[in-house]
Amino acid sequence: MHTAIDTQDVSRVIEVGDGVARVSGLRSAMAGELLDFTSSLTGEHVYGLAQNLEQDEVGAVLFGNVAAIREGDECRTTGRVMDIPVGPGMLGRVVNPLGEAIDGKGPMDTVARRPVEFKAPGIMARTPVCEPVQTGLMAIDAMIPVGRGQRELIIGDRKTGKTAIAIDTIINQADSDMICIYVAIGQKASTVATIRQTLEKHGVLDKTIIVAATASDSAPLQYIAPMSGAAIGEYFMYNGADGKPANENNPGRAVLVVYDDLSKQAVAYRQMSLTLHRPPGREAYPGDIFYLHSRLLERACKLDPAHGSGSLTALPIIETQEGDVSAYIPTNVISITDGQIYLQSNLFFQGQRPAVDVGISVSRVGGDAQIKAMKQVAGNLRLDLASYAELQSFAQFGSDLDKSTQYQLNRGARMTEILRQKRFSALDVADQVAVIFAGNNGYLDDLPVDAVIAFRDGLVDYLQASRGALRAKLTEGRISDETAEELKGAIGAFKKQFVASLKSARKHADNEELAEDAIESAAVEESVIDSAGTPGDGVA
């Protein structure tokens, strides 16, 4: 006969308010331990997280029905750090940071529990980033590529399309093997519902998990939401499709986690820390906000084959104020991540979507996160567009431009135009390569700027309809001389059709304009005759 002794430290709440409880004693409590509070009014159990371990008392943040806990209520240690349920049953569901379903679709079948705080893998367990995460957005896949296991920051002012890039990236994984997790921190519940509806409409909800800590939720829930998202993602990374630990013969899964956004988590953490009477540090933030974000983002990695080759890719989002990337939180996260996609308000208002500033956006993984053909055609694109932006600002002050400058401006205007994409209009990487190849080889130079997007979309449709074998070659490796000639022939053949249809459309438009002018002239002439009156009228 085996017996087990379970020991629990029991104490009383001495103060409660603003979602924080102070408990006397609890000398055996661990940092980050889950505490069990029992309400003397209703008898319900409310969980808390031990944060401050002081000499005579413990400061804990509360989750759930905070109003049920009063001074004098009982508190017990649980002996375990905070963990949440995880498993494949969460796919397609909306959950709160405690791992509980909040979408009204009933309970979920979870198979394990994982701690919300987990040590990131060491260097020896990792391998360099070498596989791309295709976003479907040319401006990113060509110039600021994201790789599996990378941490790429999306940063910009409010309403510049940060969330749009993340959602488009998730939608583009419809045909890939990636599992996606969207963590909404401090968003409106209606916004989260809209995002869920969008993902369902585009057929990716069944491979996506939404973790929602909405604006109406308490600061502690907003604080742990990103860690909960990472914990759910780690289950898939560290385990194979059969649910058993990943290894060389049982590969782990590829996971994409979007943290939208960490600025709101920082605010929630500041609120929580100041309520716990922690001393404020620089700019009124607790000094350990950097440590909070670094230990979260360090969990993103690409594991080596011995550990199953799984990956966790992080796309944190940070909101800036008036484009100030030198503020405390933005500089923190920039220094932690492997690059940033910087979105500018003025580009957004000019109609450039996505509004990526190629000058200061960067991917520190670079070409390792691109297929060989993309790396070949897009090698100098970022520098060329940055030079174009500088030339453009210079050229507006001068009237006489030499031929080389004029050529650069014309080419830059068309290459900038070709990168414009509406929402939910992702391009396959083979089509992106073909389009950039066409731009690099001058096929756009003699087209009107307003016809470039129509040319791009038409070329993509043409290649998909009649050049399937050629598209397959573009994804297999570098573009050989033979493939380049075949691609030039295909682009040339399409361009002849496009130019002919463009001339026909322009001619038709001109004829319609002439006809409208003739009708207007006739109407004016008739009006003049009517105003003159009939012969014999007037005073004799």
Side-chain angles (χ1 to χ4, degrees), residues 363-499:
S363 170
R364 297 188 185 104
V365 173
D368 290 340
Q370 290 175 313
I371 64 170
K372 290 180 179 178
M374 178 63 86
K375 188 176 179 181
Q376 187 179 351
V377 299
N380 295 322
L381 183 58
R382 196 167 73 88
L383 290 174
D384 290 346
L385 289 181
S387 300
Y388 162 69
E390 287 183 18
L391 269 179
Q392 193 181 27
S393 59
F394 167 76
Q396 65 184 341
F397 298 109
S399 54
D400 295 330
L401 299 173
D402 59 87
K403 283 187 177 180
S404 63
T405 304
Q406 193 65 54
Y407 170 79
Q408 260 187 298
L409 286 169
N410 289 340
R411 173 66 64 88
R414 283 153 182 79
M415 294 306 287
T416 300
E417 187 72 12
I418 212 171
L419 297 177
R420 290 191 185 188
Q421 277 177 265
K422 295 178 182 176
R423 291 203 66 184
F424 318 129
S425 58
L427 290 176
D428 185 84
V429 66
D431 300 321
Q432 293 184 32
V433 170
V435 167
I436 295 171
F437 181 89
N440 288 344
N441 285 274
Y443 287 95
L444 308 176
D445 292 353
D446 56 348
L447 292 177
V449 174
D450 59 1
V452 167
I453 291 179
F455 178 85
R456 178 195 70 192
D457 296 342
L459 177 61
V460 168
D461 293 341
Y462 173 77
L463 292 174
Q464 289 177 351
S466 59
R467 302 296 178 109
L470 175 57
R471 290 177 74 246
K473 288 180 187 177
L474 297 178
T475 59
E476 289 169 358
R478 286 181 61 84
I479 301 174
S480 64
D481 293 341
E482 182 185 340
T483 305
E485 288 305 315
E486 189 179 350
L487 187 53
K488 285 178 182 177
I491 296 169
F494 168 74
K495 187 176 178 181
K496 283 182 183 176
Q497 298 175 18
F498 180 80
V499 170

Side-chain angles (χ1 to χ4, degrees), residues 35-58:
L35 303 179
D36 184 3
F37 293 82
T38 306
S39 172
S40 57
L41 292 175
T42 62
E44 72 177 294
H45 291 267
V46 175
Y47 286 103
L49 185 65
Q51 288 282 70
N52 283 14
L53 304 182
E54 298 170 13
Q55 189 169 359
D56 300 316
E57 60 186 42
V58 171

